[in-house]
Amino acid sequence: MSKTLSLTAFVMNTASHIVHGTWRDPRGKQRDFNDLSLWTSLAKELEDGGFDTIFLADVVGLYGDYEGGWEAHVRNGLQVPSNDPFTLASAIAATTERLGVAVTAGVFQQPPYNFARQISTLDHLSRGRVAWNIVTGYLENGFRNYGYEGMLPHDERYDTAEEYLDVLYKLWEGSWDDEALKKDRKTGIYADPAHVHKIHHESKHYKVEGPHLVSPSPQRTPLLFQAGASTRGKAFAAKHAEAIFINTPSPKVAKSLIAEVREIAVENGRNGEDIQFFQGQSFVIGETEEEAQKKAKELDEITDHKMMIAHIGGGMGIDFGKWDLDTPIEDIETEGVRGIFNWIKQSVEGRKPTLRDVADHHGKSTRIVGTPEQIADRLEEWLDAGVSGINVINAFIPSSYTEFIEKVVPVLEERGLLKEREAKPETLRGRLFGQDRLSERHPAAKYRGAFGGVRS
Amino acid sequence: MSKTLSLTAFVMNTASHIVHGTWRDPRGKQRDFNDLSLWTSLAKELEDGGFDTIFLADVVGLYGDYEGGWEAHVRNGLQVPSNDPFTLASAIAATTERLGVAVTAGVFQQPPYNFARQISTLDHLSRGRVAWNIVTGYLENGFRNYGYEGMLPHDERYDTAEEYLDVLYKLWEGSWDDEALKKDRKTGIYADPAHVHKIHHESKHYKVEGPHLVSPSPQRTPLLFQAGASTRGKAFAAKHAEAIFINTPSPKVAKSLIAEVREIAVENGRNGEDIQFFQGQSFVIGETEEEAQKKAKELDEITDHKMMIAHIGGGMGIDFGKWDLDTPIEDIETEGVRGIFNWIKQSVEGRKPTLRDVADHHGKSTRIVGTPEQIADRLEEWLDAGVSGINVINAFIPSSYTEFIEKVVPVLEERGLLKEREAKPETLRGRLFGQDRLSERHPAAKYRGAFGGVRS
């Protein structure tokens, strides 16, 4: 079990990511997300302030309809417009020294050969600070932007993802041996061709000859992030992920989820500790508890509850705009609502939860309101439950992070809850796992040296 | 006709781009191209030194075989390994203020929706300094890395490119109206949905619903570069390109080519001046002509002639490794050699040109050897022929550029051949054409306002 917490900043290259409506507040500089300096100054602040990673979320399409269309999404900036996170990641990597940069990308967004090369290039230029958040997509419009008629069935998405990863692993781990690169001025040998291999991949969806064009980068395979929550999703994450982003309502639930996923990981030949878990968490910080509660109330007042509901429903393919916010959830006869109901009834006791409760709850189930000391106490509970990191959700960029860094980080440091920095910059995997390269127990490791004989 | 010359630095994110063998020389820091600082320091030097643009060349596969395989390419670093130029472009944009960044990308590398978003994001974060060099691919291995059995036929590549551009133009020019983005804190309107449109594109190869996720960037469509030399390639460039990279042997040939392409442009409803031409050119600079000639001889001695031939043949799909370097070209019975023959016989008089002549000629036909004043004289001849810019080819990164900036740029400035800088940074198109957005005569312009009625 990890003895320290790794801090990750959960952001998206858009105006309204999670806590909707806050872009209207002057503290919310995310309104100007097109301006690179917002991100580079945030990244430097995070790097200097004790954060290990900036996590760039993304979706590549509109959320499902609300009130019969997508006008509300555009009007309120609900993750549209949004900019490509990979492009931003490269700019951030170029302007920082130590910060890990986690980038979200779907397996249907780019051919694997191209994606592998972009990631490897980013790993070189960041000196090994890249993580990839593997997503399989859940928005109809997202698929229709990429040539599909609509969303692929859930299991087909994961099957395709397995194939996609297979190509990437071959390129990242198998195409170049460690001893390939010589750069030898005297002999004139730049790389030894006996150690560079085509991969000749052929599967249902992909045919890729290789070799990888990029020589081995510091991490080779980027640190692999995932957030699958379904049964298939958990199995996928347990097999491939090194870091899993969770949004559990309590340390107790987290503990049981962690045990479950690690058990599947062990069945896949991995060790439980090969996977670390990052809990999503937002914070309202006060000098006193009273002040914190007052600030929380003020934040709730500027939060756009209709957009909170549009976001949740839009991700599930349910248009909650058809019902009034005070409609009890159990009165909504729509497939998929039962899941929400189970999730929300834990926090609403003695009455029927409504859509308003769902909106109210979203982003608050994992919100801690209190003094820095109270927050540190609560974070220790997550640590004790087996969580390795906290993915810090913001209401305002950058001030949510500025406040956390100024007020909470010193308390965490005083308690020894943050890992001290090495004198020299590390790779992201080195920082989290103590080694630059993927564990030998990971499925990708089987491709190391696997193409030795191929010269055609 | 342009009265000043725009300077572009022609580089590739690899060790051995054009003048092969020079990475072995200590002046050739391109040996360490994985190191970002090589590129960011070069970019700053170019920006401060009077260059308008850094041009990142690329190929996404191995060149065709030499001596029966691709071992020689790897051994000598012939454009392998190489890193993704887009990723580097973003890092360069983040660390410069004024330099244009031209990135090469093939139309089969990414789905158009994804590519459009990456480019638009880059145009935002660079504040409008992006150019895209449109390529259609010419390497068998390149296509086999992207799921194809081999290279598509020439005309099919251009047909696909036409479709691809059509999708991009719809996303860049038509999906968002200029008045869409409000970011209004008071009303809470981030963007006006009446001015954001799906594109509902359907063609033979592409089906893209839209809308574009990115709000209009400073240039919308990036500055469009192209280098097509075939009949179809010229027609394509005359229709779409705003800047064309040429490698003509003389100002006279350039003048005639420029007239030819501009005539086709006019047939397409454009003005001749809507297209600017950039001549590729390398330089060997001496305080005296004698010194320059001595340096040129030294450079020829460290140049790897076999790799020069491997590069030329590999791009044509001909393995010249089967013949001795002293074989007369006319003795080589291979389709496609006639083109080289015509090209080389202009510079070799009184004897039969050999493969060695081809190697020797490559990168030298457009090489100027002389004093800064002599070089400036020659560049004036190019300017008089109608060329708008010089794409400066290097032997050594960064020293070829350092030398050019220290010695030639001051002479060009003294003669008023370089355009003075505006006080405020400009967009790249603004710098070259005096306007941020594509000309209304460009085929992309027809999509402006074309999707006004679509709300589905």
Side-chain angles (χ1 to χ4, degrees):
Chain A
M1 197 177 296
S2 182
K3 289 286 196 298
T4 52
L5 282 171
S6 180
L7 297 175
T8 301
F10 190 57
V11 300
M12 182 170 166
N13 200 348
T14 194
S16 202
H17 176 205
I18 300 277
V19 187
H20 302 295
T22 53
W23 67 265
R24 296 177 65 176
D25 189 280
R27 287 168 290 180
K29 297 207 193 309
Q30 62 263 36
R31 170 177 167 271
D32 298 312
F33 72 94
N34 281 334
D35 185 348
L36 176 61
S37 66
L38 171 72
W39 301 108
T40 51
S41 64
L42 172 67
K44 279 175 195 146
E45 187 175 357
L46 294 168
E47 180 168 80
D48 294 339
F51 276 72
D52 284 341
T53 309
I54 186 167
F55 185 112
L56 303 172
D58 195 37
V59 294
V60 288
L62 300 167
Y63 276 81
D65 285 353
Y66 181 72
E67 294 177 343
W70 49 281
E71 283 85 348
H73 309 348
V74 171
R75 193 177 302 114
N76 296 284
L78 171 57
Q79 303 193 3
V80 55
S82 76
N83 292 343
D84 176 64
F86 182 87
T87 313
L88 180 59
S90 182
I92 288 174
T95 53
T96 52
E97 290 288 327
R98 291 174 169 270
L99 193 68
V101 187
V103 59
T104 299
V107 299
F108 54 90
Q109 282 181 237
Q110 284 197 48
Y113 179 85
N114 215 61
F115 182 70
R117 189 166 177 237
Q118 290 201 332
I119 286 285
S120 294
T121 301
L122 188 57
D123 203 50
H124 269 306
L125 71 77
S126 67
R127 299 183 188 272
R129 293 182 284 134
V130 187
W132 170 34
N133 178 33
I134 310 165
V135 297
T136 55
Y138 58 95
L139 300 178
E140 292 285 347
N141 174 252
F143 282 88
R144 289 198 299 266
N145 288 327
Y146 287 87
Y148 300 91
E149 291 297 322
M151 187 151 60
L152 294 175
H154 185 269
D155 278 5
E156 195 178 332
R157 299 204 298 276
Y158 277 104
D159 289 343
T160 311
E162 288 280 354
E163 270 186 58
Y164 194 87
L165 282 173
D166 212 38
V167 180
L168 298 176
Y169 293 159
K170 287 176 181 178
L171 292 168
W172 284 331
E173 299 289 331
S175 186
W176 286 67
D177 301 336
D178 280 335
E179 57 268 57
L181 201 67
K182 305 292 184 196
K183 305 201 301 181
D184 190 324
R185 289 196 158 114
K186 284 190 184 159
T187 62
I189 295 176
Y190 197 79
D192 180 351
H195 290 286
V196 182
H197 319 289
K198 289 187 177 178
I199 64 166
H200 292 293
H201 176 92
E202 280 193 51
S203 61
K204 189 176 167 196
H205 297 91
Y206 304 110
K207 192 169 153 70
V208 181
E209 182 169 288
H212 196 31
L213 281 183
V214 187
S215 65
S217 67
Q219 299 185 118
R220 284 184 178 259
T221 298
L223 186 82
L224 298 172
F225 244 102
Q226 232 270 325
S230 67
T231 304
R232 179 73 195 263
K234 278 188 279 197
F236 182 88
K239 181 175 170 190
H240 297 286
E242 301 173 270
I244 297 181
F245 178 28
I246 59 175
N247 269 310
T248 54
S250 68
K252 192 181 160 195
V253 176
K255 190 171 182 174
S256 125
L257 177 64
I258 290 169
E260 181 194 350
V261 173
R262 285 186 166 160
E263 200 174 300
I264 311 173
V266 169
E267 286 164 15
N268 278 283
R270 305 177 69 191
N271 287 356
E273 293 68 32
D274 292 348
I275 307 179
Q276 296 186 1
F277 294 81
F278 287 71
Q279 166 71 18
Q281 199 79 50
S282 70
F283 302 91
V284 182
I285 310 162
E287 293 299 320
T288 62
E289 192 180 336
E290 192 184 7
E291 191 202 3
Q293 292 295 350
K294 187 164 165 265
K295 282 172 69 178
K297 193 160 170 284
E298 285 165 7
L299 178 60
D300 290 343
E301 278 160 14
I302 64 167
T303 300
D304 184 335
H305 289 83
K306 288 185 101 175
M307 282 303 102
M308 300 304 277
I309 276 292
H311 186 177
I312 298 166
M316 304 169 76
I318 302 171
D319 183 351
F320 284 132
K322 295 177 195 164
W323 292 276
D324 184 86
L325 279 181
D326 294 311
T327 311
I329 302 175
E330 61 179 38
D331 291 355
I332 298 174
E333 294 294 333
T334 308
E335 200 187 338
V337 166
R338 181 162 298 276
I340 296 191
F341 186 71
N342 290 333
W343 164 62
I344 199 77
K345 71 180 179 189
Q346 297 174 29
S347 63
V348 178
E349 283 175 30
R351 61 180 171 83
K352 291 180 181 176
T354 63
L355 277 181
R356 192 182 300 278
D357 291 317
V358 174
D360 203 41
H361 188 69
H362 185 54
K364 278 167 75 175
S365 69
T366 55
R367 185 169 85 174
I368 305 180
V369 180
T371 65
E373 289 71 22
Q374 288 172 324
I375 288 170
D377 291 347
R378 295 283 298 280
L379 292 182
E380 287 201 54
E381 293 170 20
W382 287 103
L383 185 60
D384 290 341
V387 157
S388 298
I390 300 295
N391 206 11
V392 180
I393 295 164
N394 67 80
F396 310 107
I397 295 177
S399 68
S400 293
Y401 297 107
T402 307
E403 224 181 340
F404 189 89
I405 288 166
E406 285 176 358
K407 295 180 180 164
V408 180
V409 166
V411 180
L412 298 177
E413 280 176 338
E414 206 181 316
R415 297 190 188 184
L417 295 177
L418 297 185
K419 191 181 167 192
E420 285 188 19
R421 284 225 167 122
E422 301 292 328
K424 281 177 62 179
E426 304 159 89
T427 65
L428 182 54
R429 187 179 282 113
R431 172 108 183 126
L432 297 183
F433 288 95
Q435 61 183 62
D436 295 338
R437 300 285 169 85
L438 261 179
S439 156
E440 60 188 10
R441 294 174 295 274
H442 191 279
K446 68 174 174 286
Y447 294 121
R448 292 173 183 160
F451 303 102
V454 181
R455 298 295 320 137
S456 61
Chain B
M1 197 177 295
S2 180
K3 289 286 197 299
T4 52
L5 283 171
S6 179
L7 298 175
T8 300
F10 189 57
V11 299
M12 182 171 166
N13 200 348
T14 194
S16 202
H17 176 205
I18 300 278
V19 187
H20 302 296
T22 53
W23 66 265
R24 297 177 64 176
D25 189 280
R27 288 168 289 180
K29 298 208 193 308
Q30 62 263 36
R31 168 177 169 272
D32 298 312
F33 71 93
N34 281 333
D35 185 347
L36 177 62
S37 67
L38 170 73
W39 300 108
T40 52
S41 65
L42 172 67
K44 280 176 194 145
E45 187 175 356
L46 294 168
E47 180 168 80
D48 294 340
F51 275 71
D52 283 341
T53 309
I54 185 167
F55 186 111
L56 303 172
D58 195 37
V59 294
V60 288
L62 300 167
Y63 276 81
D65 286 353
Y66 182 73
E67 296 179 340
W70 48 282
E71 283 85 346
H73 309 346
V74 172
R75 193 177 302 115
N76 296 284
L78 170 58
Q79 301 193 5
V80 55
S82 75
N83 292 344
D84 176 63
F86 182 87
T87 312
L88 179 59
S90 182
I92 288 174
T95 52
T96 53
E97 289 290 326
R98 291 175 168 270
L99 193 68
V101 186
V103 59
T104 300
V107 297
F108 54 90
Q109 281 181 238
Q110 283 197 49
Y113 179 85
N114 214 62
F115 181 69
R117 189 165 178 239
Q118 290 202 332
I119 286 285
S120 293
T121 301
L122 188 58
D123 202 50
H124 270 304
L125 71 77
S126 68
R127 299 182 187 272
R129 293 182 283 135
V130 186
W132 170 34
N133 178 34
I134 311 165
V135 297
T136 55
Y138 57 95
L139 301 178
E140 293 285 348
N141 174 254
F143 282 87
R144 288 198 300 264
N145 287 327
Y146 287 86
Y148 299 91
E149 291 297 322
M151 188 151 58
L152 295 175
H154 185 269
D155 278 5
E156 195 177 331
R157 299 205 297 276
Y158 277 103
D159 289 343
T160 311
E162 288 281 355
E163 271 188 58
Y164 193 87
L165 283 173
D166 212 38
V167 180
L168 298 176
Y169 293 159
K170 288 176 180 177
L171 292 168
W172 285 331
E173 300 288 330
S175 186
W176 287 68
D177 300 336
D178 279 335
E179 56 269 56
L181 202 67
K182 304 294 185 198
K183 306 201 300 182
D184 191 326
R185 288 197 158 113
K186 284 190 183 157
T187 63
I189 296 176
Y190 196 80
D192 181 352
H195 290 287
V196 183
H197 319 289
K198 289 186 177 179
I199 63 165
H200 292 294
H201 176 92
E202 281 193 49
S203 60
K204 188 176 167 195
H205 297 90
Y206 304 110
K207 192 170 153 70
V208 180
E209 182 168 288
H212 196 32
L213 282 183
V214 187
S215 65
S217 66
Q219 299 185 118
R220 285 184 177 259
T221 298
L223 185 83
L224 298 171
F225 245 102
Q226 232 269 328
S230 66
T231 304
R232 179 74 194 263
K234 278 188 279 197
F236 182 88
K239 181 174 169 191
H240 297 285
E242 301 174 88
I244 298 181
F245 178 29
I246 58 175
N247 268 311
T248 53
S250 68
K252 191 180 161 195
V253 175
K255 192 172 181 175
S256 126
L257 177 65
I258 291 169
E260 180 194 352
V261 173
R262 284 186 165 160
E263 200 174 299
I264 311 172
V266 170
E267 286 164 16
N268 278 284
R270 304 177 71 192
N271 286 355
E273 293 68 34
D274 292 348
I275 306 178
Q276 297 186 0
F277 293 81
F278 287 71
Q279 166 71 18
Q281 198 81 50
S282 70
F283 302 91
V284 181
I285 310 162
E287 293 300 318
T288 61
E289 193 181 335
E290 192 185 8
E291 191 202 5
Q293 292 295 350
K294 185 164 166 265
K295 282 172 71 179
K297 192 159 172 286
E298 284 165 7
L299 178 59
D300 291 342
E301 278 161 13
I302 65 167
T303 300
D304 185 335
H305 288 83
K306 288 185 101 175
M307 282 304 102
M308 300 303 277
I309 275 291
H311 186 177
I312 298 166
M316 306 169 75
I318 303 171
D319 183 351
F320 284 132
K322 294 177 195 165
W323 292 277
D324 185 88
L325 279 182
D326 292 312
T327 311
I329 303 175
E330 63 179 39
D331 292 354
I332 298 174
E333 294 293 334
T334 308
E335 199 186 339
V337 166
R338 181 162 299 275
I340 296 191
F341 187 70
N342 289 333
W343 163 64
I344 199 76
K345 73 181 178 186
Q346 297 174 27
S347 63
V348 177
E349 284 176 29
R351 60 181 173 83
K352 292 180 179 176
T354 63
L355 278 180
R356 192 182 300 278
D357 291 317
V358 174
D360 203 41
H361 188 70
H362 185 54
K364 279 165 76 175
S365 70
T366 56
R367 185 168 86 175
I368 306 180
V369 180
T371 65
E373 290 72 22
Q374 287 174 324
I375 288 169
D377 291 346
R378 295 282 298 281
L379 292 183
E380 286 201 57
E381 292 171 20
W382 287 103
L383 185 60
D384 290 342
V387 157
S388 296
I390 300 295
N391 206 11
V392 180
I393 295 164
N394 66 81
F396 310 108
I397 294 178
S399 68
S400 294
Y401 297 107
T402 307
E403 221 181 341
F404 189 88
I405 289 165
E406 286 176 358
K407 296 181 179 163
V408 180
V409 166
V411 180
L412 299 177
E413 280 175 339
E414 206 180 317
R415 297 189 188 185
L417 296 176
L418 298 185
K419 192 181 166 192
E420 285 187 19
R421 284 225 168 122
E422 301 292 328
K424 282 176 62 179
E426 303 157 89
T427 66
L428 182 55
R429 188 178 284 112
R431 172 109 183 124
L432 297 182
F433 288 94
Q435 61 182 64
D436 295 338
R437 299 285 168 86
L438 260 179
S439 157
E440 59 188 12
R441 295 174 294 275
H442 191 278
K446 67 174 175 286
Y447 294 122
R448 292 174 183 158
F451 303 102
V454 181
R455 298 294 320 134
S456 61

